Amino acid sequence: MSEKKYLGILVGACGVLAVLCVVAFTGKKSLSGKTIDTVLLNEKYGSQLACVEVVHHDTALIFYKKELSGKSLWIGFDAGSQLVFPVDSTCMEEFLAAMMQLRSLTLVSQKQDYATLASFGFASENGHTTEHGHLHEAYDLRFQLQDGSVVSQVLFGDKNYSGYRVYLKTPESPIYLTQDDFYPWLSVSAKSWAEMDLVSRQLLDISGEKDVQGLEITLIDQKGASLHKSFMPTNADFSSKVSRLLSLRGGSLIAPSVALGQSLLGEITLYTGRGSQAVLQIYEGKFSQLDQEVSSYYVIPQIHSLDGGSMNSQSDVSGLNYGFEVKGLNYGFEVSGLNYGFEVSPWTWESLQALVQD
């Protein structure tokens, strides 16, 4: 082959490669540059929602909306631990607002095979799904109405290389990339969603200490003797005591059964002007392995006469019937009452003890 002919073939091959590169880069640019402006949850459904599910791997949190004295509150259910707890109202409001916010989505990939989904954090390589059909690796959020119809389902995958943007999709849509302001809510930890106040203001339907009409505190010493004190609004420091009690929060969530068999250290009852009351039972918690001193305490809240109703008022950790009854829309379970408690620090226990001081 002559040198001239060889150079001609080489130039032709380079020309073909150049065309292919132009086509490839043009196609990539048109794909990655396409954006849409949309919401992830239609605003018209915001007030109609009855249930929200957050699922990751095989862990599921389900939130149910409950009407109380004309107000809406959310009750959370941890399908793994069976915890039933009040959801922090601010957390839920901000979460729903973020889902209904208009945002720009950048198209990343239209492929739906498991290899592609796995590369963006939506599925495992073998296509494994959870017990209820959710993609295993993704955070799967579902929004349902009272009749069980799903009005939105959004799957969140990995963050991109910058850490400030996250991949997301619906079950049928391509893969998109958007600003990651969802990180506070991409969690299946009950504590991330729960109202962590020892006394739940939303369950009692109170705004603060002005709605409290009385305190009764009983402390039990190591010999079993009890010290009992009552405080009324006529006491000079009543408001400050109630304010301090309402400000105390738990360190972590526990199941009330954790306190079974532990020594009862005290009980605090808060009475409201609405006929409802909260009872906090305090138990010894964990012991330090180093010095065998108590390193934490358990606080088990009970709410009675919620919304004017008559409640089970048992005085131990088995009294867990708080008058809620919600039926799972997809899971088939029923929840008849709240089922949660707190583990608190020695500092919190000292703060509770200080309430009896004049």
Side-chain angles (χ1 to χ4, degrees):
M1 180 182 296
S2 67
E3 182 178 348
K4 185 176 181 180
K5 189 174 182 180
Y6 176 79
L7 289 174
I9 294 174
L10 184 60
V11 170
C14 290
V16 172
L17 289 175
V19 171
L20 290 176
C21 287
V22 170
V23 172
F25 280 102
T26 301
K28 183 175 182 181
K29 184 177 181 181
S30 65
L31 177 66
S32 62
K34 184 177 181 181
T35 62
I36 60 171
D37 293 330
T38 187
V39 297
L40 303 179
L41 175 65
N42 194 314
E43 187 176 0
K44 72 178 183 179
Y45 295 123
S47 61
Q48 302 176 36
L49 291 176
C51 175
V52 177
E53 301 175 21
V54 180
V55 181
H56 187 230
H57 291 167
D58 292 303
T59 304
L61 292 180
I62 302 97
F63 306 113
Y64 295 95
K65 188 159 64 174
K66 175 77 176 179
E67 297 299 323
L68 175 66
S69 299
K71 300 178 182 178
S72 296
L73 59 87
W74 290 84
I75 302 299
F77 176 72
D78 186 327
S81 65
Q82 301 294 299
L83 289 176
V84 184
F85 54 90
V87 174
D88 184 279
S89 58
T90 300
C91 177
M92 181 59 75
E93 288 170 4
E94 292 178 349
F95 165 60
L96 294 178
M99 297 299 295
M100 292 184 288
Q101 174 186 330
L102 184 66
R103 61 183 64 249
S104 294
L105 308 183
T106 303
L107 182 61
V108 175
S109 176
Q110 294 179 317
K111 295 181 179 179
Q112 297 292 314
D113 59 281
Y114 276 105
T116 300
L117 294 176
S119 67
F120 291 103
F122 293 101
S124 58
E125 290 288 355
N126 61 4
H128 175 61
T129 58
T130 67
E131 179 183 353
H132 303 291
H134 303 261
L135 288 173
H136 191 267
E137 299 300 319
Y139 278 94
D140 192 342
L141 279 57
R142 296 185 183 183
F143 302 82
Q144 302 178 54
L145 303 182
Q146 188 63 50
D147 62 4
S149 58
V150 177
V151 294
S152 178
Q153 180 178 2
V154 184
L155 300 111
F156 290 88
D158 293 335
K159 295 184 180 182
N160 75 335
Y161 66 91
S162 71
Y164 296 107
R165 292 164 69 80
V166 64
Y167 298 104
L168 59 80
K169 68 187 301 295
T170 69
E172 298 82 18
S173 79
I175 298 170
Y176 291 96
L177 187 65
T178 191
Q179 188 71 26
D180 182 20
D181 53 359
F182 303 98
Y183 59 89
W185 309 290
L186 296 184
S187 172
V188 285
S189 166
K191 181 182 175 181
S192 298
W193 294 85
E195 180 189 16
M196 294 298 290
D197 296 335
L198 297 189
V199 176
S200 172
R201 301 187 194 193
Q202 59 180 345
L203 290 180
L204 292 173
D205 191 26
I206 62 174
S207 59
E209 59 269 16
K210 64 181 178 60
D211 296 318
V212 178
Q213 296 299 310
L215 279 180
E216 288 190 13
I217 304 174
T218 301
L219 299 180
I220 303 172
D221 62 25
Q222 295 179 344
K223 297 181 180 180
S226 62
L227 169 65
H228 181 84
K229 285 192 174 184
S230 298
F231 300 93
M232 304 295 289
T234 52
N235 293 100
D237 58 350
F238 178 78
S239 181
S240 63
K241 288 182 182 293
V242 174
S243 178
R244 181 61 180 271
L245 176 59
L246 294 178
S247 72
L248 295 177
R249 294 170 58 86
S252 61
L253 284 180
I254 60 169
S257 58
V258 172
L260 288 173
Q262 300 293 98
S263 298
L264 178 65
L265 301 178
E267 183 173 285
I268 298 175
T269 302
L270 178 149
Y271 299 94
T272 76
R274 303 176 182 275
S276 58
Q277 66 185 56
V279 180
L280 303 181
Q281 295 177 328
I282 305 103
Y283 296 83
E284 279 187 350
K286 296 177 181 177
F287 282 79
S288 168
Q289 294 183 351
L290 181 62
D291 54 18
Q292 288 301 302
E293 294 289 333
V294 179
S295 60
S296 69
Y297 297 82
Y298 300 141
V299 177
I300 310 301
Q302 298 179 25
I303 306 296
H304 304 297
S305 299
L306 181 61
D307 204 18
S310 176
M311 299 295 157
N312 185 323
S313 58
Q314 298 182 40
S315 59
D316 58 23
V317 294
S318 64
L320 302 176
N321 183 7
Y322 292 74
F324 290 99
E325 184 175 354
V326 290
K327 297 182 179 181
L329 300 176
N330 284 342
Y331 290 83
F333 56 77
E334 292 189 8
V335 177
S336 60
L338 293 171
N339 184 46
Y340 77 110
F342 301 104
E343 185 172 7
V344 302
S345 67
W347 178 87
T348 302
W349 168 230
E350 291 170 3
S351 297
L352 292 171
Q353 290 177 297
L355 295 176
V356 300
Q357 299 174 3
D358 295 325

